[in-house]
Amino acid sequence: MAGPAFTPEGYKKLVAAFLAFTVIVGYMTATQPSGAGWRFFSWHPFLMVTGFVGMMGTSAVTKKLGGYSNTKLHGILASLGLMMAFGGLYVIYRNKEIMGKEHITSTHALAGIITMAGALMASLAGGIFLHPDFGFDKTNKTIRFGHKWFSRTIILSAWITCVLGLQQMTSDKFILATFILPLVILAPFSLI
């Protein structure tokens, strides 16, 4: 099953949509609950949204264009997204330490740790086995298929984890819809 096909012009629009989501909705999320403003904790949701939605979403649609250059750009974008997510993980770890709170006490936190582990596994598998220049088994269709669908599952898991985290910060239906609806619209282009 393939997602909707898109032209190079459509690709540019998708990248613009991911960028707009990251900047606008990422900032909105980072400043929840309403009126909290930007604080150290804000880097956690902002980096997670930037990494898992902005960078990895763009990475997924870039790979769909095919070709050597797009495959390399896909790997770079996904790796940058993973680095941003690790930055977000560091922020929440430090914030919990500063506040004297326990770690991994919610569904959001557990889902986040599982998702981070999965993202690291997908990144390592892609870099070691599928890199177009030096991948050990870059033409193996089974590994390629597994990497593609495991990675898409991890991105979806990350998006759900982001929603779970946002629900811990606000119950405002407009804010939640502003976060969820664009992801529902972007999902067929990036995850299928």
Side-chain angles (χ1 to χ4, degrees), residues 22-47 49 165-166 168-170 172 175 178-179:
T22 299
V23 172
I24 297 165
V25 179
Y27 179 81
M28 175 198 72
T29 302
T31 56
Q32 292 302 309
S34 193
W38 193 271
R39 59 221 183 269
F40 178 69
F41 168 80
S42 298
W43 286 106
H44 170 68
F46 186 77
L47 287 170
V49 167
L166 182 58
Q168 287 182 278
M169 295 188 290
T170 185
D172 184 313
I175 299 288
T178 301
F179 191 92

Side-chain angles (χ1 to χ4, degrees), residues 119-140:
L120 180 61
M121 288 170 34
S123 179
L124 289 173
I128 293 168
F129 295 105
L130 300 175
H131 191 285
D133 293 330
F134 53 77
F136 289 116
D137 212 359
K138 59 188 169 193
T139 60
N140 185 313

Side-chain angles (χ1 to χ4, degrees), residues 88-120:
L89 181 62
Y90 169 77
V91 168
I92 196 59
Y93 176 84
R94 280 297 299 141
N95 193 63
K96 294 266 187 182
E97 289 292 307
I98 291 167
M99 305 289 270
K101 293 185 177 181
E102 290 188 33
H103 299 277
I104 313 175
T105 60
S106 67
T107 304
H108 165 72
L110 183 59
I113 291 297
I114 292 168
T115 300
M116 288 295 296
L120 180 61

Side-chain angles (χ1 to χ4, degrees), residues 10-92:
Y11 168 76
K12 290 176 188 173
K13 290 177 183 175
L14 282 170
V15 171
F18 278 113
L19 178 63
F21 182 92
T22 299
V23 172
I24 297 165
V25 179
Y27 179 81
M28 175 198 72
T29 302
T31 56
Q32 292 302 309
S34 193
W38 193 271
R39 59 221 183 269
F40 178 69
F41 168 80
S42 298
W43 286 106
H44 170 68
F46 186 77
L47 287 170
M48 291 301 191
V49 167
T50 303
F52 279 117
V53 180
M55 300 301 283
M56 290 189 193
T58 301
S59 170
V61 296
T62 300
K63 179 62 180 130
K64 288 183 175 195
L65 292 174
Y68 174 81
S69 297
N70 290 323
T71 299
K72 288 188 79 167
L73 181 57
H74 154 77
I76 291 166
L77 290 170
S79 296
L80 287 172
L82 182 61
M83 286 186 243
M84 289 179 170
F86 270 113
L89 181 62
Y90 169 77
V91 168
I92 196 59

Side-chain angles (χ1 to χ4, degrees), residues 144-158:
R144 293 170 69 88
F145 179 84
H147 174 73
K148 175 173 76 173
W149 286 103
F150 180 73
S151 297
R152 290 176 181 181
T153 302
I154 291 300
I155 293 171
L156 177 61
S157 172

